[in-house]
Amino acid sequence: EAGVAQSPRYKIIEKRQSVAFWCNPISGHATLYWYQQILGQGPKLLIQFQNNGVVDDSQLPKDRFSAERLKGVDSTLKIQPAKLEDSAVYLCASSFGTGGRYEQYFGPGTRLTVT
Amino acid sequence: ILNVEQSPQSLHVQEGDSTNFTCSFPSSNFYALHWYRWETAKSPEALFVMTLNGDEKKKGRISATLNTKEGYSYLYIKGSQPEDSATYLCAFSRDSNYQLIWGAGTKLIIKP
């Protein structure tokens, strides 16, 4: 079974530039998550999709971050414009169902550095 | 504000020794507790999902216990090996529709 794919693995941009991350979840997984993990902190949920609908985006900074999951499969997360504090690892995960008892499967993450 | 605390923040253990660390979470409205292992340059990987008070789960040399009434879970590693070096994350859910709240992790380094 193929795992969760993410690209790129690393990205360095200057502040005020834009960046986009891509995620392909495990086939058949209805739920997709984007997390932001800042060094020394736990992952913070940015947005959760159930199929192509948003379940939770309460912690997504909507003035600069956007995400979509077209056709309920692949997803992209965009930052425009980036700030220095956006430097973090961005993790994508998927699970078979939604709710706290489902194990989440993670991609390798994208390490973003904003200079 | 829901908080999940993990201790210690980091740990150096001699190869062959056993070790354990703690995840503390709010004891009210418990639904599930997850443990994940995140090795450097790899994807975080689920170890256990625990839902019942008193639960004990085991995978090879790694085991976990759960006390929902007092709000803690222990992760144990028996006979540590270099491949156990990783950050161990726990995450708590308070109900079926609530997102996971994550701890900052315990970074384990096994010294040969």
Side-chain angles (χ1 to χ4, degrees):
Chain A
E1 173 182 82
V4 176
Q6 283 189 253
S7 68
R9 292 292 305 274
Y10 304 92
K11 190 75 178 177
I12 300 173
I13 61 172
E14 294 182 354
K15 59 184 179 184
R16 290 189 288 275
Q17 285 188 322
S18 303
V19 64
F21 312 126
W22 173 81
C23 174
N24 181 241
I26 290 174
S27 177
H29 279 192
T31 308
L32 186 146
Y33 313 82
W34 282 103
Y35 289 96
Q36 179 192 59
Q37 200 245 349
I38 293 172
L39 191 65
Q41 300 179 19
K44 181 179 91 171
L45 180 70
L46 293 175
I47 190 166
Q48 177 182 339
F49 293 95
Q50 175 76 7
N51 296 309
N52 59 348
V54 175
V55 173
D56 186 347
D57 63 357
S58 57
Q59 298 188 94
L60 186 74
K62 298 180 186 63
D63 57 334
R64 298 184 301 107
F65 286 64
S66 64
E68 59 181 9
R69 190 183 184 197
L70 298 176
K71 300 180 182 177
V73 183
D74 291 9
S75 177
T76 55
L77 176 71
K78 296 179 182 176
I79 308 175
Q80 181 180 12
K83 293 185 175 182
L84 295 176
E85 58 261 36
D86 298 332
S87 294
V89 175
Y90 290 84
L91 290 164
C92 177
S94 69
S95 62
F96 182 72
T98 194
R101 292 189 180 183
Y102 285 94
E103 178 179 319
Q104 295 186 15
Y105 294 79
F106 284 84
T110 297
R111 184 174 296 278
L112 173 68
T113 302
V114 182
T115 62
Chain B
I1 296 175
L2 295 177
N3 244 3
V4 175
E5 303 286 343
Q6 289 190 248
S7 62
Q9 194 173 354
S10 65
L11 191 54
H12 288 71
V13 173
Q14 199 68 40
E15 182 178 352
D17 287 352
S18 296
T19 187
N20 65 84
F21 27 93
T22 308
C23 173
S24 301
F25 52 86
S27 56
S28 58
N29 298 322
F30 174 85
Y31 187 72
L33 191 283
H34 296 224
W35 280 103
Y36 289 78
R37 174 172 59 200
W38 193 359
E39 294 179 67
T40 302
K42 293 188 177 179
S43 307
E45 164 192 21
L47 291 172
F48 307 112
V49 179
M50 308 176 79
T51 57
L52 297 175
N53 184 44
D55 236 358
E56 283 193 39
K57 296 218 171 181
K58 190 175 179 184
K59 185 183 282 192
R61 295 179 291 99
I62 302 177
S63 60
T65 60
L66 179 66
N67 184 323
T68 62
K69 296 192 185 310
E70 296 182 41
Y72 65 84
S73 175
Y74 293 137
L75 191 79
Y76 300 90
I77 302 178
K78 186 177 176 183
S80 303
Q81 299 298 310
E83 58 264 30
D84 297 328
S85 294
T87 296
Y88 291 82
L89 294 162
C90 71
F92 157 80
S93 175
R94 71 177 188 195
D95 67 42
S96 61
N97 293 315
Y98 201 72
Q99 61 172 282
L100 289 181
I101 304 299
W102 294 79
T106 292
K107 184 171 183 177
L108 176 65
I109 298 165
I110 307 300
K111 299 179 289 186

